[in-house]
Amino acid sequence: MAVVKLFGAWLSPYCYRVIWALKLKGIAYEYIEEDLSNKSPLLLQYNPIHKKIPVLLHDDKPICESTVILRYIDEIWPQNPLLPADPHERAVALFWIKFADDKSPLISKLFRTDGEEQQAVAKECFEMLEVLEEHALIGGKKFFGGDEINMVDIAFCSVAHWLGVIEDFAGLKIFEPHKFPRLNSWIQNFKSVPVIKDNLPDTDKMLALLKRRREMLLASKSS
Amino acid sequence: MGDEDVVLLDFWPSPFGMRVRIALAEKEIKYEYKEEDLRNKSDLLLKMNPVHKKIPVLIYNGKPVCESLIQVQYIDEILPHKSPLLPTDPYQRAIARFWGDFVDNKIYDLGRKLWTTKGEEQEAAKKEFIECLKLLEGELGNKAYFGGENLGYVDVVLVPFYSWFYAYEKCGNFSIETECPKLIAWAKRCMEKDTVSKSLPDQDKIYDFVLHLKKVFGIE
């Protein structure tokens, strides 16, 4: 039987994307936690170009970049498909996944910036949410994937969970339920799905780590 | 594929548009090419790509497909047996997608810095640009194309930038061939194919276009 290993970091939304996909497909895997401040020689060997997590190892073959990993998982294990079968619907799903990939870094940028720079990032985040509300969630669907979550829902996990935690931490109010009713419904629905609910990083742990990281960041800026 | 209605909204110097032109040519799909004026975007473009309002947009039987990498993959799925661009093996597909993303994330932005910046910033961009091309040379190895014996997905994604190389070299004052001879040999090999050479504008035209843009934006 082929061995599946996942190199990840507990705080990373990109890592969770892969965890959820593997669990939705019922694939057993070994999880290896990476210390991102002290990356293992194995990680550097498996992802020499970007040196980042997540990395999936299947039969000793490394696959890097979370979206590439998700598509690989979906092709190797076709049960519970994560993309539509129709080519045009699939192209639309991939469009939104790319949008999520392009915009998600804004959310962690919120945490790494302050003052005017942070305000500019917050504005960009707000605009991203506006696009989702106006264009992506039309049709009254429960999830991007229809009645079940699919790769698009998974790709927007940063909006569903990480954004709220970072807003709380930074004292920002970008997402307000009354301003984004469709998005709000989607977030509630997404976080109620058992495989998601049971596999999310603990909010208190996240806040504590963000606080420590923020202190280190400010200390290094002033030195 | 007799009665399909295929329209490509494009802009002649766009490397992203060129990717789609090559893919359509490889599959021998007939289409209507519509040149967009990016300072005066058509109602059709704004309707078909309301989120980004950008070209290229592929309109297949009235339904839009946006983002060049997605368009190339879509075209490949529509006619999978004719000049297949992505491999059939899932692991090889993952590798191709990885390198497609690498090109997409790195080459355009670095190339842009080569003609819009000067001094230290330009030198840093040059260095990183060459490093990226060398990584791509490593991936190419001894193969004729990234796709092996035939043009593949990564070839289609990368080769459009070859039409911009002359402009990058003149603005950056360096020779890409000196630094990355294997990659230039690969690009010339691709250009021997009509599907590629007829989809890419002349390098001199691109350079003139860049000089025009520099004037318009006030870049020295």
Side-chain angles (χ1 to χ4, degrees), chain A residues 47 49-50 61-65 68 71-72 75-76 87-88 90-92 94-96 98-99 131 135, chain B residues 49-52 63-67 70 73-74 77-78 90-91 93-94 97-99 101-102 104 106 135:
Chain A
N47 192 356
I49 307 284
H50 300 302
K61 292 178 296 201
I63 301 117
C64 308
E65 296 293 293
V68 176
R71 296 204 65 185
Y72 176 80
E75 285 176 15
I76 288 276
H88 186 260
R90 184 155 60 240
V92 174
L94 291 172
F95 173 89
W96 287 111
K98 182 176 200 298
F99 185 83
V131 169
H135 294 282
Chain B
N49 191 356
V51 172
H52 299 303
K63 293 193 284 195
V65 179
C66 304
E67 299 294 333
I70 296 173
Q73 290 181 67
Y74 176 80
E77 283 170 24
I78 292 291
Y91 185 67
R93 287 158 79 87
R97 287 189 182 121
F98 173 88
W99 286 104
D101 284 351
F102 178 83
D104 216 34
K106 298 280 192 184
L135 285 171

Side-chain angles (χ1 to χ4, degrees), chain A residues 176-199:
Chain A
E176 286 172 278
H178 69 275
K179 285 189 180 163
F180 301 100
R182 289 189 195 122
L183 201 52
N184 188 45
S185 293
W186 172 76
I187 292 172
Q188 304 310 317
N189 291 335
F190 180 71
K191 291 174 84 161
S192 307
V193 174
V195 81
I196 306 294
K197 197 166 73 156
D198 296 339
N199 296 285

Side-chain angles (χ1 to χ4, degrees), chain B residues 16 21 24 26 30 32 51 67 70-71 80 86 89 110 116 119 123 127 137 148 165 172 186 197 207 212 217:
Chain B
F16 309 104
R21 289 172 227 164
L24 289 166
E26 282 285 308
K30 288 190 170 45
E32 185 191 347
V51 172
E67 299 294 333
I70 296 173
Q71 290 154 346
L86 274 171
D89 172 69
L110 286 171
T116 55
E123 285 308 305
K127 185 166 174 282
E137 278 187 325
F165 277 9
W186 159 83
S197 61
Y207 182 49
H212 164 76
F217 294 129

